[in-house]
């Protein structure tokens, strides 16, 4: 059986120690990704997965060396299971050859539980915000320009004053001034203005 080792060491972990543990576990080849960000690409993992034939095994020292998230770990375990590849984590003493289906069921259950907890926390947070008198969701933007501001902005623009200065003077954003039509033109707001 082909046994391949993989690791993505964290800060402070010695690659030589991890390599020695993987060799002691029977790995014939070991692949290491450099210390990369959690969501970064893992090219060596792709090489390791390609090197494992059906009936082989992928070995890691710790689950944290392979999984970017619980969902990522479950996806990887599903992929390995479909290919007939075993998975072992030395530190956690997990082996899909011994607990394969049970391990997948437990990890799927953990994902479902976490989603339920997150959903409940969101609902509780919204209820607390409403009870505290806050309105959840996107807050309304600033009010539209008054007719006086609208005319003043148009006059200042006609006098050659830069839009930035006009916006500062009126206390509005430049974008609001650019979106404001000149006085006397009807704004349709997307509706038909047919008589």
């Amino acid at each position: 059986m082909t046994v391949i080792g993989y690791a993505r060491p964290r800060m402070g972990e010695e690659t030589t120690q991890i390599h020695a543990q993987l060799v002691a576990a029977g790995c014939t080849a070991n692949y290491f990704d450099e210390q990369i960000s959690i969501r970064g690409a893992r090219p060596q993992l792709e090489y390791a997965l390609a090197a494992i034939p059906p009936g082989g095994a992928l070995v890691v020292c710790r689950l944290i060396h392979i999984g970017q998230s619980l969902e990522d770990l479950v996806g990887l375990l599903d992929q390995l299971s479909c290919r007939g590849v075993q998975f072992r984590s030395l530190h956690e003493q997990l082996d899909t050859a011994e607990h394969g289906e049970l391990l997948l069921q437990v990890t799927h259950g953990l994902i479902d539980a976490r989603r339920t907890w997150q959903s409940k926390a969101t609902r509780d947070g919204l209820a607390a915000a409403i009870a505290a008198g806050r309105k959840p969701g996107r807050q309304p933007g600033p009010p539209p320009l008054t007719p006086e501001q609208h005319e003043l902005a148009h006059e200042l623009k006609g006098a050659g004053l830069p839009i930035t200065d006009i916006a500062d003077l009126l206390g509005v954003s430049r974008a609001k001034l650019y979106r404001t039509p000149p006085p006397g033109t009807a704004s349709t707001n997307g509706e038909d203005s047919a008589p």
Side-chain angles (χ1 to χ4, degrees):
M1 171 172 45
T2 303
V3 181
I4 302 292
Y6 172 77
R8 182 186 54 182
R10 301 289 188 192
M11 289 286 241
E13 289 184 317
E14 289 292 325
T15 305
T16 54
Q17 289 177 341
I18 294 171
H19 179 72
Q21 290 174 354
L22 292 172
V23 169
C27 296
T28 55
N30 295 317
Y31 296 83
F32 291 85
D33 274 317
E34 296 298 318
Q35 295 175 350
I36 53 176
S37 69
I38 289 184
R39 300 281 181 221
R42 299 175 293 175
Q44 294 299 315
L45 177 60
E46 299 303 321
Y47 295 138
L49 294 175
I52 305 171
L58 177 65
V59 179
V60 297
C61 289
R62 294 175 169 268
L63 288 176
I64 199 165
H65 289 167
I66 196 164
Q68 294 179 318
S69 67
L70 190 55
E71 288 86 356
D72 180 59
L73 179 61
V74 169
L76 181 65
L77 291 176
D78 284 340
Q79 178 186 352
L80 293 174
S81 176
C82 288
R83 290 182 48 207
V85 174
Q86 298 174 7
F87 174 79
R88 280 188 293 177
S89 176
L90 303 176
H91 180 74
E92 290 83 5
Q93 298 178 353
L94 297 174
D95 188 345
T96 57
E98 297 175 16
H99 333 91
E101 195 60 38
L102 176 63
L103 179 62
L104 290 175
Q105 288 175 354
V106 168
T107 51
H108 281 287
L110 288 172
I111 288 175
D112 288 341
R114 190 178 75 191
R115 286 184 187 142
T116 302
W117 292 329
Q118 286 175 337
S119 177
K120 184 177 180 338
T122 300
R123 285 193 308 272
D124 291 348
L126 286 172
I130 291 170
R134 293 188 305 265
K135 182 180 176 186
R138 186 174 177 179
Q139 302 303 314
L145 292 177
T146 65
E148 294 81 22
Q149 287 176 319
H150 190 259
E151 284 191 35
L152 179 60
H154 185 67
E155 289 173 15
L156 293 173
K157 187 175 179 184
L161 197 64
I163 290 288
T164 303
D165 294 342
I166 299 170
D168 290 342
L169 180 69
L170 296 175
V172 297
S173 69
R174 289 182 10 219
K176 183 176 277 291
L177 291 178
Y178 282 120
R179 288 190 305 259
T180 304
T185 59
S187 174
T188 60
N189 293 330
E191 298 173 2
D192 272 339
S193 56

